[in-house]
């Protein structure tokens, strides 16, 4: 209880300090009298994370680099976000718990519980217990509450509710869909008159409404398998290009790259220092990462395994029909601002390696996850097939002039989602043939359901056409 009060006081003090500052901070955050919940949480988390990111006075550089890194930063953000939500949620709940009103659907045996400042929650209460529940609203005890939020209201995502009148405990979980029927019965009988035939009019019934609140991450973003094996001869470059300066966004590309990086490190056992992870990569950044992998292959003299993952825009050159990767500062109308796929493959295989594996969640026809590139003008181009050399396998999200689509329900690219799903199911212990067949089948089936056909494919060099199917991303089974 003391911790909660401290957090609430801390949040209030942060808001007060921001509001009182007239210079410096006034350009950083726009202050309103009652900032939205998201702004309150963000200000609290930013304050905590910025303080944590500062190098300590007596902290060595090595100690600082061990303490402060992207993975631990994400953990800090999640931790302080939960703290802020818990504090704000508890404060708002205590302030508004006496505003509870209810509606009851006797057919579904559900209470719709309305609390000021919160989204309504739907609680299953048997018909036989409904009246005593409704008569004791002021005495209900809500505990084990978890919170989320939208732009306007807090959301209770989980809670236990006890009715002291009968000792019953009811459980609420926002992730479980409900069907709540609101029925309005209108008395439309004519006035009583013994001289008039009484004819009842039709009872009006309001349409059924179902409310489902989705909270949290995709199923592949959580419960990521962990291995103790160290895949210390594998090196990876992972790029997620989402926010383009001259083209439309690529939805979920950052989430694609971030989660794939988590699987590479945690599930495949590649040391984090051997994984170069870049989001919204520019032309120069991508060239630099390709050069790094080239130097790795050269230095390890045939003993390295290379991984290259890219989620973002691809593009065709309309005259040559060659395929390109598009950096965030590139223009689809100018191939000189993009990375030619042939050049990428040439660099990755210039020196011998045990294996080179490329995953491309992009299309090269002029289309994109949410429309056409600026230079596409609605016309798709079928890019030329690349001739591969060396020990190279390329998994691509599409075939021919198809478009790589998003899987909105999962907040990933369709191709990447099923790549991650198979790694999750198998803990990374999957051969390339099984992985390829799974991705191709699942992506094609889901795309047909969505009326947007997409068929991933695999392209391999002649050197390994009879052996690549037995390759694995992991060096050993757990």
């Amino acid at each position: 209880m003391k911790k909660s009060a401290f957090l609430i006081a801390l949040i209030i003090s942060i808001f007060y300090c921001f509001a009182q500052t007239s210079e410096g901070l006034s350009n950083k955050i726009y202050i309103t009298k009652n900032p939205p919940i998201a702004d309150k949480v963000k200000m609290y988390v930013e304050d905590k994370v910025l303080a944590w990111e500062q190098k300590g006075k007596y902290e060595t550089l090595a100690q600082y680099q061990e303490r402060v890194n992207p993975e631990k930063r994400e953990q800090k953000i999640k931790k302080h976000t939960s703290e802020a939500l818990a504090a704000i949620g508890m404060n708002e709940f205590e302030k508004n718990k006496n505003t509870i009103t209810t509606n009851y659907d006797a057919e579904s045996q559900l209470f719709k519980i309305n609390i000021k400042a919160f989204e309504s929650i739907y609680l299953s209460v048997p018909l036989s217990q409904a009246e005593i529940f409704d008569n004791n609203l002021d005495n209900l005890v809500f505990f084990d509450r978890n919170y989320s939020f939208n732009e306007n209201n807090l959301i209770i995502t989980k809670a236990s509710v006890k009715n002291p009148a009968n000792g019953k405990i009811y459980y609420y979980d926002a992730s479980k869909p409900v069907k709540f029927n609101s029925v309005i019965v209108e008395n439309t009988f004519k006035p009583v008159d013994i001289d008039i035939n009484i004819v009842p009019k039709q009872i009006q019934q309001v349409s059924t409404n179902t409310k489902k609140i989705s909270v949290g991450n995709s199923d592949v973003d959580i419960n990521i398998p962990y291995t103790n094996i160290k895949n210390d001869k594998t090196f990876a470059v992972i790029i997620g290009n989402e926010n383009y300066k001259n083209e439309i966004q690529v939805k979920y590309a950052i989430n694609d790259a971030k989660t794939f990086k988590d699987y590479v490190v945690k599930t495949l056992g590649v040391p984090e220092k051997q994984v170069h992870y870049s989001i919204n990569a520019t032309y120069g950044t991508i060239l630099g990462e390709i050069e790094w992998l080239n130097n790795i292959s050269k230095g390890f003299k045939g003993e390295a395994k290379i991984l290259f993952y890219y989620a973002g825009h691809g593009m065709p050159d309309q005259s040559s029909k060659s395929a390109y990767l598009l950096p965030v500062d590139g223009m689809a109308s100018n191939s000189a601002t993009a990375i030619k796929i042939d050049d990428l493959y040439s660099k990755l295989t210039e020196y011998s390696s045990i294996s080179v594996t490329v995953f491309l969640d992009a299309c090269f026809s002029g289309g994109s996850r949410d429309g056409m590139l600026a230079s596409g003008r609605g016309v798709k181009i079928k890019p030329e097939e690349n001739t591969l050399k060396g020990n190279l396998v390329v998994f691509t999200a599409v075939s021919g002039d198809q478009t790589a689509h998003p899987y909105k329900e999962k907040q990933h690219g369709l191709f990447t989602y099923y790549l991650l799903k198979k790694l999750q199911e198998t803990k990374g212990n999957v051969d390339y043939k099984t992985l390829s067949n799974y991705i191709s089948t699942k992506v094609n089936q889901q795309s047909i359901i969505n009326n947007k056909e997409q068929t991933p494919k695999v392209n391999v060099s002649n050197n390994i056409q009879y052996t690549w199917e037995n390759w694995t991303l992991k060096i050993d089974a757990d």
Side-chain angles (χ1 to χ4, degrees):
M1 195 67 185
K2 290 181 179 179
K3 183 178 180 181
S4 300
F6 171 77
L7 287 172
I8 294 169
L10 181 58
I11 292 171
I12 293 171
S13 69
I14 291 171
F15 297 160
Y16 179 81
C17 291
F18 274 108
Q20 295 297 313
T21 304
S22 59
E23 295 183 356
L25 294 180
S26 62
N27 293 325
K28 182 179 179 184
I29 297 177
Y30 178 76
I31 300 297
T32 62
K33 185 176 181 181
N34 295 301
I37 294 166
D39 290 345
K40 293 180 182 179
V41 174
K42 183 178 179 183
M43 284 190 286
Y44 175 81
V45 174
E46 279 184 338
D47 185 73
K48 287 287 189 180
V49 172
L50 286 174
W52 171 78
E53 288 176 345
Q54 301 304 307
K55 184 177 178 295
K57 184 175 181 180
Y58 305 106
E59 188 177 34
T60 67
L61 180 59
Q63 290 171 331
Y64 175 78
Q65 290 174 329
E66 173 63 22
R67 180 175 65 83
V68 178
N69 58 57
E71 185 172 1
K72 290 181 179 178
R73 188 175 188 272
E74 287 295 321
Q75 294 171 355
K76 283 285 182 184
I77 291 172
K78 290 179 181 178
K79 175 178 179 290
H80 294 309
T81 299
S82 296
E83 287 176 353
L85 280 172
I88 295 171
M90 184 178 299
N91 183 52
E92 290 296 319
F93 187 88
E94 291 300 315
K95 190 166 63 176
N96 296 298
K97 65 182 180 181
N98 293 327
T99 68
I100 294 177
T101 60
T102 62
N103 299 93
Y104 189 68
D105 172 20
E107 305 299 325
S108 299
Q109 301 189 37
L110 284 173
F111 266 110
K112 179 182 180 183
I113 300 177
N114 310 299
I115 308 172
K116 184 179 177 182
F118 290 81
E119 292 282 342
S120 299
I121 69 173
Y122 293 79
L123 198 63
S124 177
V125 178
L127 189 59
S128 61
Q129 302 168 21
E131 186 173 357
I132 193 171
F133 183 97
D134 219 4
N135 290 336
N136 285 274
L137 295 181
D138 292 341
N139 299 317
L140 295 177
V141 180
F142 290 73
F143 58 101
D144 292 340
R145 302 188 300 271
N146 291 338
Y147 301 97
S148 183
F149 64 93
N150 59 22
E151 292 181 358
N152 302 310
N153 294 314
L154 283 159
I155 299 170
I156 298 174
T157 59
K158 284 188 177 180
S160 299
V161 183
K162 182 176 182 179
N163 183 4
N166 60 5
K168 299 292 185 182
I169 298 177
Y170 310 92
Y171 301 96
Y172 170 71
D173 186 345
S175 66
K176 297 179 180 178
V178 297
K179 185 175 183 180
F180 184 86
N181 302 297
S182 296
V183 180
I184 298 174
V185 179
E186 181 183 2
N187 186 340
T188 58
F189 294 110
K190 293 180 180 180
V192 175
D193 189 332
I194 60 172
D195 295 325
I196 300 174
N197 292 325
I198 302 174
V199 181
K201 290 184 179 179
Q202 182 180 0
I203 296 174
Q204 180 185 9
Q205 183 174 355
V206 177
S207 60
T208 298
N209 295 316
T210 300
K211 184 160 187 172
K212 178 180 179 180
I213 301 173
S214 296
V215 177
N217 298 319
S218 168
D219 56 330
V220 294
D221 295 329
I222 59 177
N223 299 323
I224 298 174
Y226 180 81
T227 182
N228 291 316
I229 292 172
K230 288 301 176 188
N231 211 339
D232 56 5
K233 290 292 179 68
T234 298
F235 299 83
V237 164
I238 300 169
I239 296 171
N241 278 0
E242 184 166 326
N243 302 314
Y244 280 79
K245 297 178 181 178
N246 306 302
E247 304 291 344
I248 61 176
Q249 285 190 337
V250 180
K251 280 187 178 178
Y252 317 126
I254 291 177
N255 196 36
D256 287 342
K258 179 185 178 301
T259 305
F260 183 73
K261 181 244 185 185
D262 289 340
Y263 277 85
V264 168
V265 173
K266 296 177 181 179
T267 307
L268 303 183
V270 180
E272 191 151 6
K273 66 183 179 181
Q274 294 172 205
V275 179
H276 282 203
Y277 167 65
S278 181
I279 59 173
N280 298 325
T282 62
Y283 182 86
T285 299
I286 297 177
L287 283 183
E289 298 294 11
I290 295 171
E291 188 66 27
W292 178 69
L293 288 178
N294 178 267
N295 289 332
I296 290 293
S297 298
K298 181 180 179 181
F300 276 74
K301 303 183 184 303
E303 295 183 357
K305 292 176 69 173
I306 302 297
L307 288 178
F308 183 90
Y309 173 92
Y310 175 85
H313 280 313
M315 57 165 275
D317 180 88
Q318 295 196 22
S319 58
S320 68
K321 296 186 179 181
S322 295
Y324 290 78
L325 300 181
L326 188 63
V328 293
D329 55 350
M331 294 179 289
S333 58
N334 185 356
S335 61
T337 65
I339 310 294
K340 194 173 183 180
I341 288 290
D342 284 336
D343 294 341
L344 166 68
Y345 296 161
S346 179
K347 274 289 189 180
L348 295 181
T349 58
E350 181 178 359
Y351 302 101
S352 62
S353 298
I354 294 174
S355 66
V356 179
T357 305
V358 175
F359 294 100
L360 299 177
D361 196 344
C363 58
F364 303 93
S365 61
S368 74
R369 290 186 182 182
D370 281 296
M372 297 295 294
L373 294 175
S375 65
R377 298 175 185 169
V379 178
K380 292 185 177 181
I381 297 172
K382 184 176 181 180
E384 287 187 342
E385 294 283 346
N386 304 96
T387 301
L388 308 183
K389 64 178 184 177
N391 296 335
L392 175 61
V393 176
V394 180
F395 291 78
T396 57
V398 298
S399 299
D401 62 356
Q402 292 177 342
T403 299
H405 296 291
Y407 196 169
K408 295 181 181 179
E409 295 84 352
K410 302 296 185 179
Q411 299 184 356
H412 280 289
L414 192 55
F415 170 83
T416 294
Y417 171 76
Y418 284 110
L419 166 61
L420 299 175
K421 190 64 178 174
K422 196 60 178 177
L423 293 178
Q424 183 186 57
E425 290 176 351
T426 63
K427 299 181 180 180
N429 300 313
V430 57
D431 61 75
Y432 279 20
K433 180 180 180 181
T434 303
L435 180 63
S436 171
N437 291 340
Y438 175 86
I439 294 173
S440 180
T441 300
K442 291 293 186 179
V443 170
N444 186 249
Q445 289 174 348
Q446 187 62 44
S447 68
I448 292 172
I449 292 172
N450 296 338
N451 295 316
K452 297 176 180 179
E453 188 170 6
Q454 178 181 337
T455 306
K457 64 176 296 186
V458 177
N459 195 12
V460 302
S461 63
N462 289 334
N463 299 27
I464 56 171
Q465 59 180 316
Y466 302 113
T467 59
W468 72 274
E469 292 181 338
N470 296 318
W471 286 9
T472 61
L473 291 169
K474 213 167 184 180
I475 58 173
D476 246 325
D478 284 333

